[in-house]
Amino acid sequence: KFDLDKISADIGCWLDSVSNNLESGRFKYCLEKSLVPSTGKMGLVSTCFALKIAWQCGIWETWGYDKKKACIEFIKSFQNQKGYFVDPWLADSCKIGLKEKLLSVFPNKSIKEYKRKHEYNFTANVNAETRQACSVLLMLGSQPRYKLPTQITNVRDAEKFISNLNRNDPWHLCSQISHQIMILSVNKEIFSDNNNYKLIMKFFETLLKKNFSEEFGSWFIENETENQMKINAAMKIYSGLAWIDYRIKNKKLIDLILNNPIVFDGCSFNNSLFALYHARIGIEKYREREIHAKAFQSLNHSLNHKKPSSGFSFHLRESKRQYYTQFTSKGNNQADLHGTTMFVLGITLALRLLGDNAPVGHERWKLYKG
């Protein structure tokens, strides 16, 4: 009863609707009360999300050459010569506002602390946007104009980089490691940057082995860490390892995911399925029936977020209101680009986990590295 062709067709019509009357390559975040700019050189996230959706569920092939080219060129236009993809709309949300300037006059409020917080947010936003934009370009057979920026050029840099991360936050720590592995690998493959690459990757391999939990199958976690956070951290590591030829068969992580209920929000269920997919590579027969059951459960749940003749909402009955530090919608009960991206990815992962047991039409749904 899970009609992949109908879902893909509905999404295709919805993507046409959110791009209607806009310049080619532009998309509204949602149909009603979208807060993401869809004119001018802003709104990178909307185009990135739309292209991920279209490519994964087989819509991209139906678009004409001019539309495809406009989408790709729009994404490329955000990269500066330092290699970062910077969207002014998202960057503006990291500036210190008038309210914070006024609060800083009080003795217990420091303008330096506000600056530190906003600089941290800006760096985190730009790094995430740079990775996402580059990944989308490579997924579509294109590439960035300039080499991606990295904080690591040798093993000493890598050691310093790790020492500055917060080990009490495994989600953030694993995310930052994943970013660096991806960036270094892309620079090597696309721009032939082999400077200390093997030594740095050997450092990360040793680091991951040292900080791997044999009990839970995750990295940089303590016993008291919540189970979903253990899964989230593992997902981040696997999303980095997907860019290099390094596989970790991980029965303990499979056990952790199968023995705990999947959290069905826009992100956590994807994290669980992504980690499950990569952990079982090479051991596909391990707890196969239970994995299939989780996959079918995920497919069925995704239909709760599906809007009639449309895409998916991030939350059960409302669109996603925020993307990092910027507002995206008023939260109406409607499909949004972020939610549709997450559920299309989740469906694709579930189809991969099901293999030959997947519903009809699964071969048209594609999965990229991450």
Side-chain angles (χ1 to χ4, degrees):
K1 295 182 180 180
F2 197 84
D3 193 338
L4 289 169
D5 290 339
K6 177 66 165 59
I7 291 172
S8 181
D10 284 352
I11 292 173
C13 291
W14 177 70
L15 286 177
D16 288 342
S17 297
V18 294
S19 62
N20 190 35
N21 295 325
L22 297 178
E23 185 180 348
S24 187
R26 305 303 305 275
F27 301 83
K28 291 180 182 178
Y29 180 80
C30 52
L31 279 173
E32 297 179 9
K33 298 184 179 180
S34 170
L35 301 180
V36 183
S38 54
T39 59
K41 192 184 171 183
M42 293 186 289
L44 170 64
V45 62
S46 293
T47 299
C48 283
F49 280 160
L51 301 196
K52 281 184 177 181
I53 295 164
W55 186 86
Q56 286 189 303
C57 60
I59 297 169
W60 175 255
E61 288 80 5
T62 68
W63 289 357
Y65 172 81
D66 289 342
K67 183 174 182 177
K68 290 179 179 179
K69 182 179 179 182
C71 290
I72 290 171
E73 290 303 316
F74 182 68
I75 292 177
K76 285 185 176 182
S77 70
F78 285 89
Q79 190 181 28
N80 60 32
Q81 291 186 356
K82 293 182 179 179
Y84 292 105
F85 286 77
V86 182
D87 184 345
W89 166 75
L90 191 58
D92 283 347
S93 65
C94 299
K95 293 179 180 177
I96 295 178
L98 177 60
K99 180 180 178 181
E100 290 164 318
K101 290 179 180 178
L102 293 174
L103 286 173
S104 67
V105 302
F106 294 96
N108 63 332
K109 300 291 184 180
S110 169
I111 193 69
K112 289 184 178 180
E113 178 59 23
Y114 286 130
K115 285 183 177 179
R116 186 203 64 77
K117 177 183 176 182
H118 284 273
E119 286 173 359
Y120 173 85
N121 286 338
F122 176 81
T123 300
N125 289 353
V126 168
N127 286 341
E129 285 284 88
T130 297
R131 176 174 181 168
Q132 174 167 255
C134 177
S135 178
V136 170
L137 290 175
L138 294 173
M139 179 185 74
L140 300 175
S142 185
Q143 63 186 56
R145 292 171 177 169
Y146 308 104
K147 189 170 73 170
L148 301 184
T150 178
Q151 297 168 262
I152 296 174
T153 58
N154 53 53
V155 173
R156 184 174 295 179
D157 287 345
E159 292 172 343
K160 183 179 179 181
F161 177 83
I162 296 298
S163 67
N164 288 330
L165 296 177
N166 181 7
R167 295 183 67 91
N168 294 321
D169 185 355
W171 168 254
H172 175 73
L173 190 151
C174 292
S175 178
Q176 295 305 308
I177 292 174
S178 176
H179 283 337
Q180 294 303 314
I181 292 175
M182 182 268 191
I183 288 170
L184 289 163
S185 299
V186 168
N187 285 344
K188 174 181 176 291
E189 293 300 320
I190 304 300
F191 299 99
S192 300
D193 184 0
N194 290 294
N195 187 26
N196 293 318
Y197 177 81
K198 289 185 177 180
L199 290 174
I200 296 170
M201 287 301 147
K202 187 65 177 178
F203 166 82
F204 278 124
E205 181 181 335
T206 302
L207 179 75
L208 293 178
K209 286 180 178 178
K210 181 180 178 181
N211 291 278
F212 179 73
S213 168
E214 295 287 351
E215 182 179 359
F216 301 109
S218 189
W219 289 265
F220 299 97
I221 50 90
E222 304 295 339
N223 286 345
E224 62 270 16
T225 304
E226 293 182 358
N227 286 334
Q228 188 59 50
M229 182 57 72
K230 294 170 186 172
I231 295 168
N232 293 348
M235 173 269 172
K236 281 299 184 183
I237 294 299
Y238 275 116
S239 71
L241 297 181
W243 292 89
I244 61 177
D245 186 22
Y246 186 69
R247 296 285 178 263
I248 301 174
K249 300 174 186 178
N250 199 337
K251 288 185 177 181
K252 288 297 183 180
L253 182 59
I254 294 173
D255 292 340
L256 178 66
I257 296 170
L258 293 181
N259 294 341
N260 287 276
I262 290 181
V263 179
F264 284 111
D265 60 24
C267 287
S268 294
F269 106 104
N270 264 326
N271 294 340
S272 296
L273 292 179
F274 190 93
L276 185 57
Y277 170 78
H278 284 278
R280 74 189 291 257
I281 292 176
I283 47 173
E284 282 80 359
K285 299 299 181 183
Y286 181 68
R287 299 185 69 172
E288 186 177 32
R289 287 188 178 182
E290 294 163 274
I291 289 173
H292 288 177
K294 284 283 188 185
F296 276 121
Q297 180 191 14
S298 299
L299 290 180
N300 290 328
H301 177 82
S302 70
L303 294 179
N304 296 329
H305 290 251
K306 174 75 168 56
K307 304 305 175 185
S309 302
S310 186
F312 296 80
S313 61
F314 189 95
H315 299 294
L316 194 58
R317 294 182 181 85
E318 65 177 76
S319 57
K320 190 79 160 62
R321 294 174 179 266
Q322 204 162 346
Y323 178 70
Y324 295 120
T325 51
Q326 202 37 299
F327 293 99
T328 54
S329 80
K330 294 289 186 178
N332 297 40
N333 186 8
Q334 61 177 326
D336 62 89
L337 284 172
H338 198 167
T340 305
T341 301
M342 293 295 100
F343 280 97
V344 166
L345 173 59
I347 290 170
T348 307
L349 287 164
L351 297 177
R352 288 293 185 276
L353 290 169
L354 287 168
D356 293 337
N357 294 302
V360 173
H362 66 90
E363 65 279 354
R364 287 188 289 276
W365 289 61
K366 297 180 291 186
L367 182 65
Y368 193 61
K369 295 177 182 179

